[in-house]
Amino acid sequence: MPDIQLRKPELLAPAGDYEKLKFALAFGADAVYMGGPDFGLRAYAGNFSMEQMAEAIRYTHQANRKLYVTVNIFAHEQDFEGMAEYLRQLEALESDGAIVSDPGVIALAREVAPRLPLHLSTQMNNTNSYSMRFWLKQGIERIVLARELSREEIQAVRENVPGELEMFIHGAMCMSYSGRCLLSNYLTGRDANRGECTQPCRWNYGLVEEKRPGQVFPIEEDERGAYIFNSHDLCLLPHLPLLKPLNIDSYKIEGRMKSLHYVSSTVKVYREAIDTLWDQGEEEFKAKLPGWLDEMDKVSHRDYSPGFLFGKPGADSHNIESSNYIRDYEFVAFGLASDNREHSKIPTEVRNEFSQGYWVEQRYNFKKGEILEVFSPKDEPWSFTVQGIWTVEGEEIDVARHAKEIVKLELPKPLPPFAILRRAKKDKK
């Protein structure tokens, strides 16, 4: 490769809703990507209304970060109704970019919103420098690389493509090439290429011989069936030193439909890993790597693999035994000191106490006597035993069992901003 200045890459995180956006930024993301009310490929994520999007863009820009909006459906004729106005609104709101995949959408965007930066989605099978240079000539500013590229192929592309390049470094892998899947549409009538994927690749399957209808022969790997399309999750954390010389502009984490805990944990780990590798060098990176990998194991995930980084993945990159997630830790609550949201059901005198760092919003039931771990953007994790729990009415309770219940905890010290509370599952204690 030519002798070039190795820039620190942008860390790009998923923002499935406003809450996740705030936590992604707090834990160190340089930029976030989100979906609006229409035209994206995650119809079941907590997508933003136009009013929420405007507020999210203001919040992100006040933090001196960037926000990109997905407009990456493969559009049918009726999808263009209202799209021109939508693109104009994204431009007027000063979105930092629209992630697109359809040539018609690209042409329309260039016509009606010429100041809106366009990023080409991985859905466009961006696998070679010739097609990438073609798209740059059409006004595309950034290319999101296909996940099916090896390190050598990425290096060859980087040498021949002058525009910005973005690549996935972590998250779920689709069994279909660059995510262009027909299974969901065929089996459920919900089109994955228009944002409605039902993930049939995670289902268990059996074999039926045509002359024996109704007689299912399991492709056995366990008693519940086989998971022949079930790929491992991508994790390139251990391989960042190999990626650094490639000088990729943006490292992307998959997961707009994942939990607040997933977003916060993956962003914090990759933030620390990138900063350590670029600022302190590979030796310090390797020294800290075991701790980061341990943290990644606490996040709900499937078995990890490097994807296509070292060539076409083999059987060790597919889980044929189960489609279940590995969940060693449970996300039970987050601190309200960081959020400063207005809860209309909470008395003003209680709401004003949020800054004290003892109030949390419950997400999974927990009770007195349990050990919880506190995970936050800047501090090392620390643990405490739950001693006291109080409702907003001041009643002491033994169990916080109601979804999104607001409770006050007895703590050895206040919770830091954007703290997450989690619990090791019983078989992991």
Side-chain angles (χ1 to χ4, degrees), residues 27-160:
F27 277 83
D30 297 306
V32 293
Y33 62 101
M34 54 174 276
D38 300 294
F39 312 121
L41 282 183
R42 287 292 181 270
Y44 305 118
N47 295 321
F48 292 66
S49 68
M50 293 308 298
E51 293 77 14
Q52 292 169 330
M53 191 184 302
E55 176 58 30
I57 291 173
R58 285 193 294 269
Y59 183 91
T60 304
H61 287 174
Q62 286 172 0
N64 198 29
R65 317 290 176 83
K66 294 183 177 181
L67 185 149
Y68 312 126
V69 181
T70 58
V71 194
N72 56 344
I73 61 168
F74 292 103
H76 291 229
E77 193 68 22
Q78 63 270 24
D79 291 320
F80 283 90
E81 297 177 9
M83 187 177 291
E85 178 58 28
Y86 182 68
L87 293 168
R88 291 190 188 98
Q89 287 180 295
L90 294 185
E91 182 184 62
L93 292 174
E94 298 184 344
S95 167
D96 296 290
I99 304 170
V100 294
S101 58
D102 189 295
V105 175
I106 294 169
L108 181 62
R110 292 273 59 89
E111 176 186 343
V112 303
R115 293 182 289 105
L116 177 64
L118 298 182
H119 298 181
L120 193 63
S121 171
T122 189
Q123 302 290 130
M124 273 304 291
N125 305 86
N126 302 310
T127 57
N128 66 82
S129 61
Y130 291 88
S131 66
M132 293 181 201
R133 289 197 300 270
F134 167 83
W135 285 113
L136 292 175
K137 292 178 182 177
Q138 312 312 309
I140 296 293
E141 294 190 9
R142 177 184 291 185
I143 306 286
V144 186
L145 298 177
R147 288 179 242 200
E148 293 80 10
L149 295 180
S150 68
R151 181 187 178 279
E152 289 73 20
E153 290 175 307
I154 296 172
Q155 178 174 326
V157 165
R158 176 72 285 177
E159 291 174 350
N160 291 287

Side-chain angles (χ1 to χ4, degrees), residues 169 171 173 231-236 239 302-308 313 316-318:
I169 58 168
M173 292 282 284
S231 61
H232 285 183
D233 283 358
L234 178 68
C235 178
L236 297 186
H239 311 296
R302 297 181 177 92
D303 290 323
Y304 291 128
S305 88
F308 288 77
D316 58 350
S317 291
H318 294 79

Side-chain angles (χ1 to χ4, degrees), residues 21 45 90 94 120 134 229 248 264 283 288 298 301 305-306 311 330 342 365 369 376 379 391 395:
L21 180 149
L90 294 185
E94 298 184 344
L120 193 63
F134 167 83
F229 305 129
I248 301 299
S264 302
E283 185 175 342
K288 294 180 178 180
K298 294 182 179 181
H301 67 285
S305 88
E330 296 168 325
E342 294 294 312
N365 68 78
S376 61
D379 302 330
T391 67
E395 176 188 0

Side-chain angles (χ1 to χ4, degrees), residues 267-306:
V267 169
K268 181 176 182 179
V269 166
Y270 278 98
R271 175 76 281 149
E272 292 179 358
I274 291 169
D275 290 346
T276 298
L277 181 60
W278 263 258
D279 298 340
Q280 302 177 45
E282 188 170 348
E283 185 175 342
E284 186 66 19
F285 173 90
K286 289 181 177 179
K288 294 180 178 180
L289 180 59
W292 293 326
L293 291 173
D294 181 64
E295 179 58 43
M296 285 291 88
D297 283 339
K298 294 182 179 181
V299 176
S300 178
H301 67 285
R302 297 181 177 92
D303 290 323
Y304 291 128
S305 88

Side-chain angles (χ1 to χ4, degrees), residues 315-329:
D316 58 350
S317 291
H318 294 79
N319 192 340
I320 58 176
E321 297 178 353
S322 171
S323 64
N324 294 336
Y325 283 95
I326 300 169
R327 293 184 173 96
D328 292 344
Y329 275 69

Side-chain angles (χ1 to χ4, degrees), residues 7-13 30-33 66 68 99 119 142-145 154 158 163-169 243 246-253 274 278:
R7 304 178 302 275
K8 186 181 292 187
E10 170 189 87
L11 179 58
L12 177 56
D30 297 306
V32 293
Y33 62 101
K66 294 183 177 181
Y68 312 126
I99 304 170
H119 298 181
R142 177 184 291 185
I143 306 286
V144 186
L145 298 177
I154 296 172
R158 176 72 285 177
E164 292 185 17
L165 297 179
E166 175 181 305
M167 68 178 290
F168 283 92
I169 58 168
L243 299 181
L246 302 181
N247 210 32
I248 301 299
D249 298 275
S250 181
Y251 287 172
K252 188 173 192 174
I253 297 170
I274 291 169
W278 263 258

